[in-house]
Amino acid sequence: MAASQRDTSTICLFDVDGTLTPNRQRIKPDVESFLVELRKKVLVGLVGGSDFVKIAEQMGNHEDLLDRFDYLFAENGLVAYKGSTQIGQQNLKKYVGDEVLQKLINFALGYMSRLVLPCKRGTFVEFRSSMINLCPVGRSCSQEERDEFGKYDEEHKVREKFVEALRAEFPNAGLVFAIGGQISIDVFPVGWDKRFCLPFLQKDDIKTIHFFGDKTAKGGNDHEIFEDPRTIGHTVVSPDDTVQQLKQIYFS
């Protein structure tokens, strides 16, 4: 299909961690090259829970990053770009208020202080423009420590139990607590999940939205957009799986 025949009414929208890249690692050259070819056929976009800087790191820190994708949605779409133009920005502090945020942070720090894990490092609470990221092991852990916690969490359900405690403590705060990536929990207002990006696409008359994510089960931060009737959801288990599924759809 020639570039002029690209279907601009269809977009393939990707989660980042575990979908296009290994968790918190850089995209591999073969996946990056594949996205270039895919973009000749349809629109291509990213929607990640991380902030823009972290997504940029994982996508290779290219100076022309925003030109490499038709849409880039950081922090679930609360920070939104169409090409190189910013089209959206939300503010968690203004929306929720410091009183609720401080209660949440104090509770989370107290809870995490009582956890005994294989290791603990630093940056247990990361305040982003549109969400709070809670990390029991600490975001400054090494990749090896990250992987170690991931295996420990699978067995002991550390984050799952943490989410249950948060929901019990803040039942009426209007907040969502979602397991994201390999080591953390995202906290954001109800409705500020990855579905937040969809109206931007609908406004541009995009008719078909394929979403690819690895945390699509209930409680994962891809679940809501995966289940949304406006999207065609695809569950993947790795970047290689993402590429294989796309090859079957567009290159078979």
Side-chain angles (χ1 to χ4, degrees):
M1 184 182 291
S4 60
Q5 295 176 289
R6 186 166 72 136
D7 179 5
T8 56
S9 69
T10 297
I11 189 168
C12 287
L13 190 62
F14 299 96
D15 166 54
V16 179
D17 267 359
T19 301
L20 290 181
T21 77
N23 285 299
R24 281 300 301 138
Q25 296 182 51
R26 182 171 175 164
I27 189 170
K28 293 181 178 178
D30 61 322
V31 179
E32 193 169 25
S33 298
F34 180 81
L35 292 178
V36 172
E37 295 305 308
L38 178 65
R39 197 175 174 211
K40 294 175 182 178
K41 294 179 176 288
V42 294
L43 300 175
V44 174
L46 303 178
V47 55
S50 294
D51 59 33
F52 180 84
V53 171
K54 290 185 177 64
I55 291 175
E57 287 173 354
Q58 290 180 257
M59 290 296 110
N61 267 334
H62 299 287
E63 289 184 4
D64 62 344
L65 174 65
L66 289 171
D67 294 321
R68 289 171 176 251
F69 295 93
D70 297 286
Y71 295 86
L72 194 155
F73 301 107
E75 301 184 39
N76 288 354
L78 282 302
V79 180
Y81 292 87
K82 179 182 179 181
S84 58
T85 303
Q86 187 168 5
I87 56 175
Q89 173 78 56
Q90 294 293 324
N91 187 298
L92 177 68
K93 185 174 72 172
K94 287 182 180 177
Y95 189 86
V96 176
D98 269 319
E99 183 179 354
V100 172
L101 292 177
Q102 192 164 156
K103 287 179 180 177
L104 168 67
I105 291 169
N106 287 346
F107 177 82
L109 287 171
Y111 184 95
M112 289 187 285
S113 74
R114 296 187 292 274
L115 293 175
V116 178
L117 305 173
C119 72
K120 283 186 178 180
R121 295 301 176 249
T123 314
F124 302 99
V125 176
E126 185 175 80
F127 194 95
R128 301 173 183 170
S129 62
S130 62
M131 69 171 68
I132 290 177
N133 183 266
L134 305 175
C135 183
V137 66
R139 295 197 64 89
S140 64
C141 62
S142 67
Q143 187 60 49
E144 182 180 355
E145 291 162 345
R146 171 185 284 269
D147 293 339
E148 185 180 22
F149 174 80
K151 292 176 183 176
Y152 186 86
D153 185 45
E154 282 184 21
E155 180 181 353
H156 297 279
K157 310 297 181 188
V158 175
R159 289 184 294 168
E160 192 174 305
K161 293 172 183 175
F162 192 3
V163 165
E164 290 174 0
L166 288 162
R167 287 173 179 163
E169 184 70 17
F170 300 97
N172 302 310
L175 296 172
V176 174
F177 306 97
I179 293 172
Q182 189 179 20
I183 59 173
S184 59
I185 294 166
D186 292 331
V187 184
F188 46 84
V190 172
W192 284 24
D193 53 65
K194 289 182 179 177
R195 291 174 295 181
F196 197 89
C197 75
L198 298 180
F200 292 110
L201 304 177
Q202 292 180 302
K203 181 181 178 183
D204 288 343
D205 208 28
I206 295 172
K207 305 295 186 186
T208 305
I209 303 170
H210 289 274
F211 171 76
F212 295 80
D214 66 319
K215 293 288 190 298
T216 58
K218 192 170 183 179
N221 66 352
D222 295 327
H223 177 71
E224 288 83 4
I225 189 171
F226 172 81
E227 289 283 326
D228 194 281
R230 293 170 289 182
T231 70
I232 301 169
H234 305 265
T235 302
V236 302
V237 297
S238 68
D240 288 341
D241 184 34
T242 302
V243 171
Q244 288 305 313
Q245 290 194 37
L246 285 162
K247 282 181 177 178
Q248 291 177 3
I249 298 170
Y250 291 107
F251 297 91
S252 60

